[in-house]
PDB file of all heavy atoms in Angstrom:
ATOM      1  N   MET A   1      31.128   3.016 239.345  1.00  0.00           N
ATOM      2  CA  MET A   1      29.811   2.380 239.402  1.00  0.00           C
ATOM      3  C   MET A   1      29.590   1.195 238.554  1.00  0.00           C
ATOM      4  O   MET A   1      29.929   1.243 237.281  1.00  0.00           O
ATOM      5  CB  MET A   1      28.723   3.464 238.984  1.00  0.00           C
ATOM      6  CG  MET A   1      27.385   3.126 239.498  1.00  0.00           C
ATOM      7  SD  MET A   1      26.093   4.402 239.003  1.00  0.00           S
ATOM      8  CE  MET A   1      26.264   5.543 240.476  1.00  0.00           C
ATOM      9  N   ARG A  23      28.865  12.246 231.885  1.00  0.00           N
ATOM     10  CA  ARG A  23      29.711  11.304 232.650  1.00  0.00           C
ATOM     11  C   ARG A  23      28.862  10.265 233.477  1.00  0.00           C
ATOM     12  O   ARG A  23      29.472   9.537 234.228  1.00  0.00           O
ATOM     13  CB  ARG A  23      30.710  12.031 233.524  1.00  0.00           C
ATOM     14  CG  ARG A  23      31.730  12.868 232.734  1.00  0.00           C
ATOM     15  CD  ARG A  23      32.566  13.836 233.504  1.00  0.00           C
ATOM     16  NE  ARG A  23      33.555  13.140 234.359  1.00  0.00           N
ATOM     17  CZ  ARG A  23      33.802  13.410 235.593  1.00  0.00           C
ATOM     18  NH1 ARG A  23      33.161  14.420 236.260  1.00  0.00           N
ATOM     19  NH2 ARG A  23      34.737  12.816 236.269  1.00  0.00           N
ATOM     20  N   ASP A  24      27.621  10.327 233.372  1.00  0.00           N
ATOM     21  CA  ASP A  24      26.751   9.358 233.990  1.00  0.00           C
ATOM     22  C   ASP A  24      26.897   8.004 233.270  1.00  0.00           C
ATOM     23  O   ASP A  24      27.115   7.996 232.072  1.00  0.00           O
ATOM     24  CB  ASP A  24      25.283   9.704 233.869  1.00  0.00           C
ATOM     25  CG  ASP A  24      24.913  10.935 234.705  1.00  0.00           C
ATOM     26  OD1 ASP A  24      25.621  11.134 235.763  1.00  0.00           O
ATOM     27  OD2 ASP A  24      23.967  11.780 234.426  1.00  0.00           O
ATOM     28  N   GLN A  73      24.761  30.546 207.613  1.00  0.00           N
ATOM     29  CA  GLN A  73      25.741  30.525 208.665  1.00  0.00           C
ATOM     30  C   GLN A  73      25.156  29.906 209.906  1.00  0.00           C
ATOM     31  O   GLN A  73      25.798  29.123 210.694  1.00  0.00           O
ATOM     32  CB  GLN A  73      26.211  32.017 208.982  1.00  0.00           C
ATOM     33  CG  GLN A  73      27.408  32.052 209.839  1.00  0.00           C
ATOM     34  CD  GLN A  73      27.708  33.441 210.273  1.00  0.00           C
ATOM     35  OE1 GLN A  73      26.821  34.379 210.187  1.00  0.00           O
ATOM     36  NE2 GLN A  73      28.944  33.701 210.706  1.00  0.00           N
ATOM     37  N   ASP A  74      23.879  30.141 210.240  1.00  0.00           N
ATOM     38  CA  ASP A  74      23.135  29.507 211.302  1.00  0.00           C
ATOM     39  C   ASP A  74      23.151  27.934 211.163  1.00  0.00           C
ATOM     40  O   ASP A  74      23.420  27.300 212.163  1.00  0.00           O
ATOM     41  CB  ASP A  74      21.634  29.983 211.358  1.00  0.00           C
ATOM     42  CG  ASP A  74      21.450  31.176 212.134  1.00  0.00           C
ATOM     43  OD1 ASP A  74      22.438  31.681 212.864  1.00  0.00           O
ATOM     44  OD2 ASP A  74      20.340  31.649 212.216  1.00  0.00           O
ATOM     45  N   GLY A  77      26.375  26.659 212.204  1.00  0.00           N
ATOM     46  CA  GLY A  77      26.438  26.645 213.637  1.00  0.00           C
ATOM     47  C   GLY A  77      25.644  25.561 214.340  1.00  0.00           C
ATOM     48  O   GLY A  77      26.065  24.999 215.278  1.00  0.00           O
ATOM     49  N   LEU A  80      27.493  22.440 214.206  1.00  0.00           N
ATOM     50  CA  LEU A  80      28.646  22.434 215.235  1.00  0.00           C
ATOM     51  C   LEU A  80      28.085  22.212 216.619  1.00  0.00           C
ATOM     52  O   LEU A  80      28.725  21.440 217.385  1.00  0.00           O
ATOM     53  CB  LEU A  80      29.409  23.666 215.106  1.00  0.00           C
ATOM     54  CG  LEU A  80      30.221  23.859 213.774  1.00  0.00           C
ATOM     55  CD1 LEU A  80      30.930  25.162 213.655  1.00  0.00           C
ATOM     56  CD2 LEU A  80      31.197  22.720 213.577  1.00  0.00           C
ATOM     57  N   TYR A  81      27.002  22.836 216.967  1.00  0.00           N
ATOM     58  CA  TYR A  81      26.414  22.582 218.310  1.00  0.00           C
ATOM     59  C   TYR A  81      26.139  21.174 218.479  1.00  0.00           C
ATOM     60  O   TYR A  81      26.420  20.517 219.586  1.00  0.00           O
ATOM     61  CB  TYR A  81      25.038  23.213 218.661  1.00  0.00           C
ATOM     62  CG  TYR A  81      24.909  24.712 218.426  1.00  0.00           C
ATOM     63  CD1 TYR A  81      23.674  25.346 218.024  1.00  0.00           C
ATOM     64  CD2 TYR A  81      26.000  25.575 218.524  1.00  0.00           C
ATOM     65  CE1 TYR A  81      23.626  26.698 217.875  1.00  0.00           C
ATOM     66  CE2 TYR A  81      25.930  27.006 218.299  1.00  0.00           C
ATOM     67  CZ  TYR A  81      24.622  27.494 217.948  1.00  0.00           C
ATOM     68  OH  TYR A  81      24.440  28.851 217.789  1.00  0.00           O
ATOM     69  N   SER A  84      29.232  18.865 218.803  1.00  0.00           N
ATOM     70  CA  SER A  84      29.756  19.010 220.215  1.00  0.00           C
ATOM     71  C   SER A  84      28.976  18.084 221.138  1.00  0.00           C
ATOM     72  O   SER A  84      29.505  17.464 222.014  1.00  0.00           O
ATOM     73  CB  SER A  84      29.595  20.401 220.757  1.00  0.00           C
ATOM     74  OG  SER A  84      30.504  21.272 220.087  1.00  0.00           O
ATOM     75  N   GLU A  87      29.773  14.601 220.525  1.00  0.00           N
ATOM     76  CA  GLU A  87      31.105  14.263 221.081  1.00  0.00           C
ATOM     77  C   GLU A  87      31.209  13.960 222.463  1.00  0.00           C
ATOM     78  O   GLU A  87      31.982  13.172 223.070  1.00  0.00           O
ATOM     79  CB  GLU A  87      32.016  15.462 220.713  1.00  0.00           C
ATOM     80  CG  GLU A  87      33.201  15.135 219.856  1.00  0.00           C
ATOM     81  CD  GLU A  87      34.068  16.414 219.684  1.00  0.00           C
ATOM     82  OE1 GLU A  87      33.529  17.493 219.882  1.00  0.00           O
ATOM     83  OE2 GLU A  87      35.173  16.220 219.258  1.00  0.00           O
ATOM     84  N   ARG A  93      34.754  13.903 216.701  1.00  0.00           N
ATOM     85  CA  ARG A  93      34.170  14.614 215.652  1.00  0.00           C
ATOM     86  C   ARG A  93      34.762  14.194 214.306  1.00  0.00           C
ATOM     87  O   ARG A  93      33.952  14.099 213.366  1.00  0.00           O
ATOM     88  CB  ARG A  93      34.379  16.136 215.838  1.00  0.00           C
ATOM     89  CG  ARG A  93      33.609  16.988 214.835  1.00  0.00           C
ATOM     90  CD  ARG A  93      33.787  18.468 215.206  1.00  0.00           C
ATOM     91  NE  ARG A  93      33.482  18.695 216.622  1.00  0.00           N
ATOM     92  CZ  ARG A  93      33.027  19.832 217.041  1.00  0.00           C
ATOM     93  NH1 ARG A  93      32.691  20.855 216.253  1.00  0.00           N
ATOM     94  NH2 ARG A  93      32.709  19.951 218.344  1.00  0.00           N
ATOM     95  N   ASP A  94      36.026  13.932 214.290  1.00  0.00           N
ATOM     96  CA  ASP A  94      36.638  13.620 212.871  1.00  0.00           C
ATOM     97  C   ASP A  94      35.990  12.283 212.471  1.00  0.00           C
ATOM     98  O   ASP A  94      35.770  12.114 211.203  1.00  0.00           O
ATOM     99  CB  ASP A  94      38.149  13.391 213.131  1.00  0.00           C
ATOM    100  CG  ASP A  94      38.871  14.591 213.455  1.00  0.00           C
ATOM    101  OD1 ASP A  94      38.221  15.719 213.218  1.00  0.00           O
ATOM    102  OD2 ASP A  94      39.961  14.653 213.915  1.00  0.00           O
ATOM    103  N   ARG A 153      19.056  25.993 221.854  1.00  0.00           N
ATOM    104  CA  ARG A 153      19.734  27.145 221.137  1.00  0.00           C
ATOM    105  C   ARG A 153      19.263  27.032 219.640  1.00  0.00           C
ATOM    106  O   ARG A 153      18.899  28.152 219.093  1.00  0.00           O
ATOM    107  CB  ARG A 153      21.235  26.778 221.172  1.00  0.00           C
ATOM    108  CG  ARG A 153      22.130  27.906 220.744  1.00  0.00           C
ATOM    109  CD  ARG A 153      23.568  27.406 221.096  1.00  0.00           C
ATOM    110  NE  ARG A 153      23.924  27.742 222.479  1.00  0.00           N
ATOM    111  CZ  ARG A 153      24.335  28.856 222.919  1.00  0.00           C
ATOM    112  NH1 ARG A 153      24.358  29.962 222.099  1.00  0.00           N
ATOM    113  NH2 ARG A 153      24.641  29.008 224.130  1.00  0.00           N
ATOM    114  N   GLU A 157      16.862  29.915 217.148  1.00  0.00           N
ATOM    115  CA  GLU A 157      17.427  30.578 215.937  1.00  0.00           C
ATOM    116  C   GLU A 157      16.471  30.054 214.718  1.00  0.00           C
ATOM    117  O   GLU A 157      16.461  30.847 213.670  1.00  0.00           O
ATOM    118  CB  GLU A 157      18.862  30.144 215.690  1.00  0.00           C
ATOM    119  CG  GLU A 157      19.622  30.650 216.800  1.00  0.00           C
ATOM    120  CD  GLU A 157      21.187  30.377 216.716  1.00  0.00           C
ATOM    121  OE1 GLU A 157      21.566  29.575 215.786  1.00  0.00           O
ATOM    122  OE2 GLU A 157      21.887  30.852 217.565  1.00  0.00           O
ATOM    123  N   PHE A 160      13.433  32.373 213.127  1.00  0.00           N
ATOM    124  CA  PHE A 160      13.805  33.390 212.152  1.00  0.00           C
ATOM    125  C   PHE A 160      13.778  32.731 210.652  1.00  0.00           C
ATOM    126  O   PHE A 160      13.304  33.286 209.689  1.00  0.00           O
ATOM    127  CB  PHE A 160      15.229  34.044 212.371  1.00  0.00           C
ATOM    128  CG  PHE A 160      16.165  34.176 211.340  1.00  0.00           C
ATOM    129  CD1 PHE A 160      15.876  34.836 210.059  1.00  0.00           C
ATOM    130  CD2 PHE A 160      17.432  33.674 211.387  1.00  0.00           C
ATOM    131  CE1 PHE A 160      16.783  35.018 209.074  1.00  0.00           C
ATOM    132  CE2 PHE A 160      18.402  33.883 210.473  1.00  0.00           C
ATOM    133  CZ  PHE A 160      18.065  34.489 209.262  1.00  0.00           C
ATOM    134  N   ARG A 296      43.255  24.307 207.531  1.00  0.00           N
ATOM    135  CA  ARG A 296      43.310  23.531 208.790  1.00  0.00           C
ATOM    136  C   ARG A 296      44.882  23.296 209.142  1.00  0.00           C
ATOM    137  O   ARG A 296      45.274  23.407 210.242  1.00  0.00           O
ATOM    138  CB  ARG A 296      42.549  22.257 208.661  1.00  0.00           C
ATOM    139  CG  ARG A 296      41.079  22.457 208.570  1.00  0.00           C
ATOM    140  CD  ARG A 296      40.280  21.253 208.812  1.00  0.00           C
ATOM    141  NE  ARG A 296      40.620  20.114 207.765  1.00  0.00           N
ATOM    142  CZ  ARG A 296      39.989  20.066 206.612  1.00  0.00           C
ATOM    143  NH1 ARG A 296      39.058  20.856 206.277  1.00  0.00           N
ATOM    144  NH2 ARG A 296      40.404  19.060 205.710  1.00  0.00           N
ATOM    145  N   ALA A 299      46.621  26.490 210.130  1.00  0.00           N
ATOM    146  CA  ALA A 299      46.248  26.960 211.534  1.00  0.00           C
ATOM    147  C   ALA A 299      46.950  26.091 212.602  1.00  0.00           C
ATOM    148  O   ALA A 299      47.456  26.537 213.602  1.00  0.00           O
ATOM    149  CB  ALA A 299      44.686  26.923 211.719  1.00  0.00           C
ATOM    150  N   ALA A 300      47.011  24.761 212.254  1.00  0.00           N
ATOM    151  CA  ALA A 300      47.672  23.789 213.111  1.00  0.00           C
ATOM    152  C   ALA A 300      49.226  24.106 213.232  1.00  0.00           C
ATOM    153  O   ALA A 300      49.808  24.132 214.413  1.00  0.00           O
ATOM    154  CB  ALA A 300      47.435  22.330 212.769  1.00  0.00           C
ATOM    155  N   TYR A 302      50.648  26.975 212.659  1.00  0.00           N
ATOM    156  CA  TYR A 302      50.938  28.276 213.412  1.00  0.00           C
ATOM    157  C   TYR A 302      50.716  28.029 214.844  1.00  0.00           C
ATOM    158  O   TYR A 302      51.566  28.592 215.687  1.00  0.00           O
ATOM    159  CB  TYR A 302      49.894  29.289 212.873  1.00  0.00           C
ATOM    160  CG  TYR A 302      50.049  30.535 213.558  1.00  0.00           C
ATOM    161  CD1 TYR A 302      51.002  31.534 213.165  1.00  0.00           C
ATOM    162  CD2 TYR A 302      49.167  30.998 214.550  1.00  0.00           C
ATOM    163  CE1 TYR A 302      51.251  32.731 213.719  1.00  0.00           C
ATOM    164  CE2 TYR A 302      49.303  32.231 215.202  1.00  0.00           C
ATOM    165  CZ  TYR A 302      50.261  33.139 214.775  1.00  0.00           C
ATOM    166  OH  TYR A 302      50.464  34.270 215.392  1.00  0.00           O
ATOM    167  N   ALA A 303      49.809  27.288 215.296  1.00  0.00           N
ATOM    168  CA  ALA A 303      49.610  27.058 216.759  1.00  0.00           C
ATOM    169  C   ALA A 303      50.774  26.302 217.347  1.00  0.00           C
ATOM    170  O   ALA A 303      51.250  26.622 218.300  1.00  0.00           O
ATOM    171  CB  ALA A 303      48.300  26.234 216.984  1.00  0.00           C
TER     172      ALA A 303
ATOM    173  N   MET B   1      41.137  20.015 211.137  1.00  0.00           N
ATOM    174  CA  MET B   1      40.537  19.852 212.377  1.00  0.00           C
ATOM    175  C   MET B   1      41.220  18.650 213.222  1.00  0.00           C
ATOM    176  O   MET B   1      41.201  18.752 214.425  1.00  0.00           O
ATOM    177  CB  MET B   1      39.125  19.599 212.133  1.00  0.00           C
ATOM    178  CG  MET B   1      38.373  18.922 213.442  1.00  0.00           C
ATOM    179  SD  MET B   1      36.771  19.399 213.597  1.00  0.00           S
ATOM    180  CE  MET B   1      36.500  20.993 212.786  1.00  0.00           C
ATOM    181  N   SER B   2      41.708  17.679 212.522  1.00  0.00           N
ATOM    182  CA  SER B   2      42.147  16.471 213.339  1.00  0.00           C
ATOM    183  C   SER B   2      43.066  16.853 214.420  1.00  0.00           C
ATOM    184  O   SER B   2      44.079  17.476 214.150  1.00  0.00           O
ATOM    185  CB  SER B   2      42.603  15.379 212.433  1.00  0.00           C
ATOM    186  OG  SER B   2      43.859  15.676 211.868  1.00  0.00           O
ATOM    187  N   GLY B   3      42.837  16.311 215.531  1.00  0.00           N
ATOM    188  CA  GLY B   3      43.809  16.552 216.672  1.00  0.00           C
ATOM    189  C   GLY B   3      43.680  17.934 217.421  1.00  0.00           C
ATOM    190  O   GLY B   3      44.299  18.151 218.372  1.00  0.00           O
ATOM    191  N   TRP B   4      42.861  18.802 216.810  1.00  0.00           N
ATOM    192  CA  TRP B   4      42.748  20.106 217.451  1.00  0.00           C
ATOM    193  C   TRP B   4      42.057  19.882 218.871  1.00  0.00           C
ATOM    194  O   TRP B   4      41.119  19.226 219.040  1.00  0.00           O
ATOM    195  CB  TRP B   4      41.766  21.020 216.732  1.00  0.00           C
ATOM    196  CG  TRP B   4      42.475  21.596 215.402  1.00  0.00           C
ATOM    197  CD1 TRP B   4      43.716  21.269 215.016  1.00  0.00           C
ATOM    198  CD2 TRP B   4      41.860  22.539 214.511  1.00  0.00           C
ATOM    199  NE1 TRP B   4      43.938  22.069 213.864  1.00  0.00           N
ATOM    200  CE2 TRP B   4      42.840  22.785 213.586  1.00  0.00           C
ATOM    201  CE3 TRP B   4      40.634  23.248 214.450  1.00  0.00           C
ATOM    202  CZ2 TRP B   4      42.702  23.672 212.490  1.00  0.00           C
ATOM    203  CZ3 TRP B   4      40.377  24.021 213.439  1.00  0.00           C
ATOM    204  CH2 TRP B   4      41.356  24.386 212.471  1.00  0.00           C
ATOM    205  N   LEU B   6      39.887  20.434 222.297  1.00  0.00           N
ATOM    206  CA  LEU B   6      38.552  20.791 222.625  1.00  0.00           C
ATOM    207  C   LEU B   6      38.608  22.019 223.688  1.00  0.00           C
ATOM    208  O   LEU B   6      39.379  21.925 224.548  1.00  0.00           O
ATOM    209  CB  LEU B   6      37.817  19.644 223.179  1.00  0.00           C
ATOM    210  CG  LEU B   6      36.203  19.826 223.450  1.00  0.00           C
ATOM    211  CD1 LEU B   6      35.595  20.014 222.148  1.00  0.00           C
ATOM    212  CD2 LEU B   6      35.683  18.621 224.262  1.00  0.00           C
ATOM    213  N   ALA B  22      28.499  28.095 227.450  1.00  0.00           N
ATOM    214  CA  ALA B  22      27.655  28.096 226.259  1.00  0.00           C
ATOM    215  C   ALA B  22      27.758  26.780 225.456  1.00  0.00           C
ATOM    216  O   ALA B  22      26.799  26.494 224.800  1.00  0.00           O
ATOM    217  CB  ALA B  22      27.977  29.285 225.384  1.00  0.00           C
ATOM    218  N   SER B  24      30.952  24.048 223.507  1.00  0.00           N
ATOM    219  CA  SER B  24      32.406  23.691 223.289  1.00  0.00           C
ATOM    220  C   SER B  24      32.663  23.875 221.720  1.00  0.00           C
ATOM    221  O   SER B  24      31.831  23.816 220.865  1.00  0.00           O
ATOM    222  CB  SER B  24      32.719  22.415 223.812  1.00  0.00           C
ATOM    223  OG  SER B  24      31.888  21.364 223.244  1.00  0.00           O
ATOM    224  N   HIS B  26      36.268  22.982 218.693  1.00  0.00           N
ATOM    225  CA  HIS B  26      37.612  22.650 218.499  1.00  0.00           C
ATOM    226  C   HIS B  26      38.381  23.786 217.828  1.00  0.00           C
ATOM    227  O   HIS B  26      37.841  24.568 217.047  1.00  0.00           O
ATOM    228  CB  HIS B  26      37.702  21.443 217.592  1.00  0.00           C
ATOM    229  CG  HIS B  26      37.353  20.218 218.158  1.00  0.00           C
ATOM    230  ND1 HIS B  26      38.197  19.309 218.840  1.00  0.00           N
ATOM    231  CD2 HIS B  26      36.098  19.597 218.317  1.00  0.00           C
ATOM    232  CE1 HIS B  26      37.467  18.291 219.236  1.00  0.00           C
ATOM    233  NE2 HIS B  26      36.226  18.439 218.982  1.00  0.00           N
ATOM    234  N   PRO B  28      42.757  25.219 217.082  1.00  0.00           N
ATOM    235  CA  PRO B  28      44.250  24.837 217.215  1.00  0.00           C
ATOM    236  C   PRO B  28      44.896  25.648 218.356  1.00  0.00           C
ATOM    237  O   PRO B  28      45.791  25.199 219.044  1.00  0.00           O
ATOM    238  CB  PRO B  28      44.870  25.258 215.926  1.00  0.00           C
ATOM    239  CG  PRO B  28      43.937  26.251 215.270  1.00  0.00           C
ATOM    240  CD  PRO B  28      42.643  25.836 215.824  1.00  0.00           C
ATOM    241  N   ASP B  29      44.372  26.892 218.668  1.00  0.00           N
ATOM    242  CA  ASP B  29      44.992  27.698 219.737  1.00  0.00           C
ATOM    243  C   ASP B  29      43.972  28.591 220.389  1.00  0.00           C
ATOM    244  O   ASP B  29      42.805  28.706 219.870  1.00  0.00           O
ATOM    245  CB  ASP B  29      46.183  28.469 219.291  1.00  0.00           C
ATOM    246  CG  ASP B  29      45.829  29.443 218.072  1.00  0.00           C
ATOM    247  OD1 ASP B  29      44.708  29.916 218.083  1.00  0.00           O
ATOM    248  OD2 ASP B  29      46.814  29.597 217.271  1.00  0.00           O
ATOM    249  N   LEU B  40      30.434  31.307 216.592  1.00  0.00           N
ATOM    250  CA  LEU B  40      29.531  30.284 216.838  1.00  0.00           C
ATOM    251  C   LEU B  40      28.535  30.575 217.926  1.00  0.00           C
ATOM    252  O   LEU B  40      27.362  30.292 217.871  1.00  0.00           O
ATOM    253  CB  LEU B  40      30.331  28.973 217.313  1.00  0.00           C
ATOM    254  CG  LEU B  40      29.553  27.701 217.376  1.00  0.00           C
ATOM    255  CD1 LEU B  40      28.922  27.421 216.056  1.00  0.00           C
ATOM    256  CD2 LEU B  40      30.548  26.527 217.666  1.00  0.00           C
ATOM    257  N   TYR B  41      28.863  31.297 219.003  1.00  0.00           N
ATOM    258  CA  TYR B  41      28.029  31.588 220.132  1.00  0.00           C
ATOM    259  C   TYR B  41      27.472  32.981 220.308  1.00  0.00           C
ATOM    260  O   TYR B  41      26.730  33.227 221.285  1.00  0.00           O
ATOM    261  CB  TYR B  41      28.629  30.985 221.421  1.00  0.00           C
ATOM    262  CG  TYR B  41      28.898  29.459 221.431  1.00  0.00           C
ATOM    263  CD1 TYR B  41      30.156  28.918 221.256  1.00  0.00           C
ATOM    264  CD2 TYR B  41      27.722  28.700 221.541  1.00  0.00           C
ATOM    265  CE1 TYR B  41      30.290  27.472 221.149  1.00  0.00           C
ATOM    266  CE2 TYR B  41      27.956  27.268 221.444  1.00  0.00           C
ATOM    267  CZ  TYR B  41      29.104  26.680 221.294  1.00  0.00           C
ATOM    268  OH  TYR B  41      29.258  25.388 221.188  1.00  0.00           O
ATOM    269  N   ARG B  43      26.393  35.118 217.564  1.00  0.00           N
ATOM    270  CA  ARG B  43      25.886  35.711 216.258  1.00  0.00           C
ATOM    271  C   ARG B  43      24.798  36.673 216.413  1.00  0.00           C
ATOM    272  O   ARG B  43      24.465  37.393 215.514  1.00  0.00           O
ATOM    273  CB  ARG B  43      25.459  34.465 215.302  1.00  0.00           C
ATOM    274  CG  ARG B  43      26.616  33.695 214.750  1.00  0.00           C
ATOM    275  CD  ARG B  43      26.158  32.925 213.516  1.00  0.00           C
ATOM    276  NE  ARG B  43      25.035  32.011 213.902  1.00  0.00           N
ATOM    277  CZ  ARG B  43      25.172  30.919 214.460  1.00  0.00           C
ATOM    278  NH1 ARG B  43      26.370  30.479 214.943  1.00  0.00           N
ATOM    279  NH2 ARG B  43      24.107  30.090 214.790  1.00  0.00           N
ATOM    280  N   ARG B  44      24.116  36.617 217.604  1.00  0.00           N
ATOM    281  CA  ARG B  44      22.967  37.630 217.891  1.00  0.00           C
ATOM    282  C   ARG B  44      23.239  38.421 219.074  1.00  0.00           C
ATOM    283  O   ARG B  44      22.285  38.563 219.910  1.00  0.00           O
ATOM    284  CB  ARG B  44      21.753  36.802 217.955  1.00  0.00           C
ATOM    285  CG  ARG B  44      21.300  36.101 216.718  1.00  0.00           C
ATOM    286  CD  ARG B  44      20.134  35.242 216.812  1.00  0.00           C
ATOM    287  NE  ARG B  44      19.552  34.726 215.481  1.00  0.00           N
ATOM    288  CZ  ARG B  44      20.106  33.833 214.792  1.00  0.00           C
ATOM    289  NH1 ARG B  44      21.236  33.148 215.303  1.00  0.00           N
ATOM    290  NH2 ARG B  44      19.637  33.392 213.656  1.00  0.00           N
ATOM    291  N   GLU B  46      24.762  37.823 221.784  1.00  0.00           N
ATOM    292  CA  GLU B  46      24.479  37.005 223.095  1.00  0.00           C
ATOM    293  C   GLU B  46      25.578  37.399 224.122  1.00  0.00           C
ATOM    294  O   GLU B  46      25.520  37.045 225.273  1.00  0.00           O
ATOM    295  CB  GLU B  46      24.542  35.532 222.860  1.00  0.00           C
ATOM    296  CG  GLU B  46      23.381  35.103 222.053  1.00  0.00           C
ATOM    297  CD  GLU B  46      23.606  34.892 220.604  1.00  0.00           C
ATOM    298  OE1 GLU B  46      24.451  35.645 220.153  1.00  0.00           O
ATOM    299  OE2 GLU B  46      22.865  34.009 219.996  1.00  0.00           O
ATOM    300  N   ALA B  60      36.720  18.048 237.333  1.00  0.00           N
ATOM    301  CA  ALA B  60      35.280  17.951 237.607  1.00  0.00           C
ATOM    302  C   ALA B  60      35.113  16.808 238.721  1.00  0.00           C
ATOM    303  O   ALA B  60      35.890  15.960 238.820  1.00  0.00           O
ATOM    304  CB  ALA B  60      34.599  17.419 236.337  1.00  0.00           C
ATOM    305  N   SER B  61      34.034  17.066 239.554  1.00  0.00           N
ATOM    306  CA  SER B  61      33.753  16.076 240.583  1.00  0.00           C
ATOM    307  C   SER B  61      33.240  14.858 239.842  1.00  0.00           C
ATOM    308  O   SER B  61      32.669  14.904 238.741  1.00  0.00           O
ATOM    309  CB  SER B  61      32.730  16.683 241.502  1.00  0.00           C
ATOM    310  OG  SER B  61      31.513  16.967 240.766  1.00  0.00           O
ATOM    311  N   ASP B  62      33.379  13.789 240.561  1.00  0.00           N
ATOM    312  CA  ASP B  62      33.000  12.451 240.033  1.00  0.00           C
ATOM    313  C   ASP B  62      31.447  12.287 240.104  1.00  0.00           C
ATOM    314  O   ASP B  62      30.911  12.495 241.198  1.00  0.00           O
ATOM    315  CB  ASP B  62      33.684  11.280 240.887  1.00  0.00           C
ATOM    316  CG  ASP B  62      33.247   9.957 240.400  1.00  0.00           C
ATOM    317  OD1 ASP B  62      32.422   9.870 239.523  1.00  0.00           O
ATOM    318  OD2 ASP B  62      33.807   8.964 241.010  1.00  0.00           O
ATOM    319  N   PRO B  63      30.812  12.065 238.931  1.00  0.00           N
ATOM    320  CA  PRO B  63      29.344  12.069 238.993  1.00  0.00           C
ATOM    321  C   PRO B  63      28.794  10.969 239.933  1.00  0.00           C
ATOM    322  O   PRO B  63      27.677  10.966 240.389  1.00  0.00           O
ATOM    323  CB  PRO B  63      28.878  11.834 237.527  1.00  0.00           C
ATOM    324  CG  PRO B  63      30.085  11.286 236.836  1.00  0.00           C
ATOM    325  CD  PRO B  63      31.315  11.837 237.564  1.00  0.00           C
ATOM    326  N   ASP B  64      29.597   9.863 239.978  1.00  0.00           N
ATOM    327  CA  ASP B  64      29.093   8.677 240.764  1.00  0.00           C
ATOM    328  C   ASP B  64      29.204   8.940 242.315  1.00  0.00           C
ATOM    329  O   ASP B  64      28.633   8.332 243.054  1.00  0.00           O
ATOM    330  CB  ASP B  64      29.873   7.458 240.435  1.00  0.00           C
ATOM    331  CG  ASP B  64      29.689   7.054 238.907  1.00  0.00           C
ATOM    332  OD1 ASP B  64      28.663   7.534 238.424  1.00  0.00           O
ATOM    333  OD2 ASP B  64      30.462   6.341 238.444  1.00  0.00           O
ATOM    334  N   LYS B  66      28.307  11.511 243.811  1.00  0.00           N
ATOM    335  CA  LYS B  66      27.436  12.640 244.266  1.00  0.00           C
ATOM    336  C   LYS B  66      26.812  12.488 245.643  1.00  0.00           C
ATOM    337  O   LYS B  66      26.689  13.508 246.425  1.00  0.00           O
ATOM    338  CB  LYS B  66      26.405  13.089 243.195  1.00  0.00           C
ATOM    339  CG  LYS B  66      25.368  11.966 242.916  1.00  0.00           C
ATOM    340  CD  LYS B  66      24.595  12.446 241.565  1.00  0.00           C
ATOM    341  CE  LYS B  66      24.092  11.276 240.786  1.00  0.00           C
ATOM    342  NZ  LYS B  66      24.024  11.471 239.388  1.00  0.00           N
TER     343      LYS B  66
END
Side-chain angles (χ1 to χ4, degrees):
Chain A
M1 195 177 276
R23 295 172 70 222
D24 289 332
Q73 196 187 18
D74 272 356
L80 294 177
Y81 306 156
S84 287
E87 240 182 342
R93 187 173 309 207
D94 295 343
R153 192 175 279 279
E157 300 181 352
F160 134 57
R296 295 191 297 277
Y302 181 77
Chain B
M1 162 149 332
S2 67
W4 285 4
L6 185 69
S24 57
H26 287 269
D29 57 31
L40 192 55
Y41 293 107
R43 287 195 301 284
R44 291 175 173 78
E46 289 95 334
S61 60
D62 180 356
D64 297 341
K66 56 190 154 213

